[in-house]
Amino acid sequence: MTNKRILAIETSCDETSAAVIEDGKTILSNIVASQVKSHQRFGGVVPEIASRHHVEQITLIIEEAMHEAGVRYDELDAVAVTEGPGLVGALLIGVNAAKAIAFAHSLPLIAVNHIKGHIFANQLIAEMKFPLLSLVVSGGHTELIYMSSPDSFEIIGETRDDAAGEAYDKIGRVIGVPYPGGKHIDDMAHRGEDTYNFPRAMMHEDNYDFSFSGLKSSFINTVHNARQKGEEINSEDLATSFQAAVTDVLVAKTIRAAKEKQVEQLVLAGGVAANKGLRHALTQAVEEELPDVELLIPPLTLCGDNAAMIGAAAFVQLENNTFSDFSLNGKPGLSV
Ligand code: KG4
Ligand code: ZN
């Protein structure tokens, strides 16, 4: 049996990425060009700027991925691309590049959901085992997804308002750290103390949903009140207190869901999976409360947006013959 190779492309937000993945689990190359510096001075991703960067970068990044993998186009088995969710103008650049390559080299085209991609980043570090529960935490999503098999995705809980990463980025702006704030807040959180006692919304409710907008407002009000009164604020204690509130809720609900669903594996996914506090708290909770469940956490390089994870998810579709035709379009609001 020969190995199956997929060229994967990801352009849903502010990283242009291409990767070559073998058998859904081996990374032959994974090139990621981040645009974050171009968006930083605006305090968030500007869609028009994102599209423009993707257009400029996409061909170079694909060539680099093919070159680094040492693979020719006639040695590929498929081309995969993120079809959504994401910014429509950004998605379209990747989708059109993938279509052009599929057409030129007579390769099957595979459309991948970005969230499924984040989950399959775990397949690049260890064999995923089912049933599993995934905690997906990114800039746009906070979801608990139950998978009975590699192609079955059931959202059993989700945020009712802000995503976890979004809350990090918004409070980061209030205390003046560069966009995206998540990593900076995480670093500060390790130097302070949990003194502010922020709310842990919905932690004890009998469901698997989340809410972070109350926590965000509480944080912002604390900062504004202190500034109005001319009081000193301790940014590091604020960061520690915020991070403790976020991780307490995420970990409590994830552990409860994993127990109820009796899963084999628990996997962490998405940009916020890079959070040191969350990685530590979840690892500890699984050791203490679910010693028979295997926990997978992707390395930092595979937590943020990248095409390798898209190639890993696409392999399941290649094996199932789930292909797209040339009418494929970007789907900004696509759900799992
Ligand atoms: O998955 P991702 O790269 O893009 C989306 O699909 O949304 O996630 C980006 C998000 C941003 O909100 C960023 O602030 C957050 O992940 N993030 C973090 C950390 N590193 C990235 N949040 C908390 N702690 C971190 N260390
Ligand atoms: Zn993402």
Side-chain angles (χ1 to χ4, degrees), residues 30-323:
N30 185 26
I31 312 295
V32 182
S34 173
Q35 319 171 348
V36 85
K37 288 211 162 56
S38 305
H39 299 286
Q40 233 155 26
R41 70 191 130 127
F42 302 103
V45 177
V46 183
E48 288 77 6
I49 295 177
S51 304
R52 197 174 293 253
H53 277 288
H54 287 309
V55 169
E56 286 169 8
Q57 291 293 319
I58 190 75
T59 313
L60 295 169
I61 297 297
I62 291 170
E63 277 173 11
E64 198 177 329
M66 291 296 289
H67 180 78
E68 192 177 301
V71 168
R72 296 188 316 267
Y73 283 98
D74 64 2
E75 293 172 320
L76 291 172
D77 293 278
V79 181
V81 63
T82 305
E83 64 168 332
L87 303 168
V88 67
L91 290 164
L92 280 172
I93 312 298
V95 165
N96 284 313
K99 280 196 221 178
I101 292 170
F103 182 75
H105 301 282
S106 303
L107 290 165
L109 182 63
I110 301 176
V112 177
N113 180 303
H114 182 78
I115 300 300
K116 295 181 186 176
H118 273 301
I119 296 173
F120 274 89
N122 287 285
Q123 181 71 28
L124 299 164
I125 54 165
E127 189 70 32
M128 285 165 64
K129 295 185 195 126
F130 303 89
L132 71 70
L133 181 71
S134 178
L135 172 62
V136 179
V137 272
S138 73
H141 294 263
T142 302
E143 283 154 9
L144 276 168
I145 298 179
Y146 175 75
M147 296 175 66
S148 55
S149 66
D151 57 357
S152 156
F153 301 83
E154 185 195 345
I155 300 177
I156 62 166
E158 62 192 325
T159 182
R160 303 223 177 138
D161 38 60
D162 290 358
E166 186 183 359
Y168 266 98
D169 298 341
K170 284 180 180 165
I171 64 119
R173 204 179 313 184
V174 173
I175 55 168
V177 300
Y179 176 85
K183 186 179 179 317
H184 301 278
I185 301 291
D186 187 14
D187 291 341
M188 289 165 69
H190 290 268
R191 300 193 295 264
E193 310 244 359
D194 179 6
T195 55
Y196 284 92
N197 258 310
F198 287 128
R200 272 94 168 134
M202 303 182 71
M203 186 148 101
H204 301 294
E205 279 182 29
D206 192 18
N207 57 47
Y208 298 126
D209 286 346
F210 304 98
S211 165
F212 296 107
S213 82
L215 167 62
K216 177 193 67 188
S217 303
S218 178
F219 183 102
I220 295 172
N221 290 339
T222 303
V223 173
H224 285 172
N225 285 340
R227 280 182 186 154
Q228 264 166 8
K229 292 188 202 146
E231 287 169 8
E232 183 95 3
I233 50 165
N234 184 324
S235 299
E236 291 175 349
D237 287 352
L238 275 170
T240 311
S241 306
F242 176 84
Q243 181 138 311
V246 173
T247 48
D248 277 358
V249 183
L250 288 174
V251 170
K253 290 215 147 167
T254 303
I255 295 288
R256 193 140 52 79
K259 278 184 185 164
E260 194 206 287
K261 292 287 189 182
Q262 302 195 338
V263 294
E264 285 263 321
Q265 256 181 1
L266 187 57
V267 311
L268 191 56
V272 184
N275 186 272
K276 296 190 284 278
L278 178 60
R279 296 166 82 93
H280 177 74
L282 194 59
T283 304
Q284 206 165 21
V286 170
E287 270 170 24
E288 282 166 17
E289 298 191 49
L290 294 165
D292 298 331
V293 173
E294 187 184 7
L295 174 66
L296 301 184
I297 302 183
L300 298 187
T301 48
L302 296 175
C303 289
D305 292 345
N306 67 86
M309 67 187 197
I310 302 302
F315 183 68
V316 177
Q317 292 171 238
L318 178 63
E319 295 294 271
N320 289 346
N321 294 312
T322 310
F323 300 117

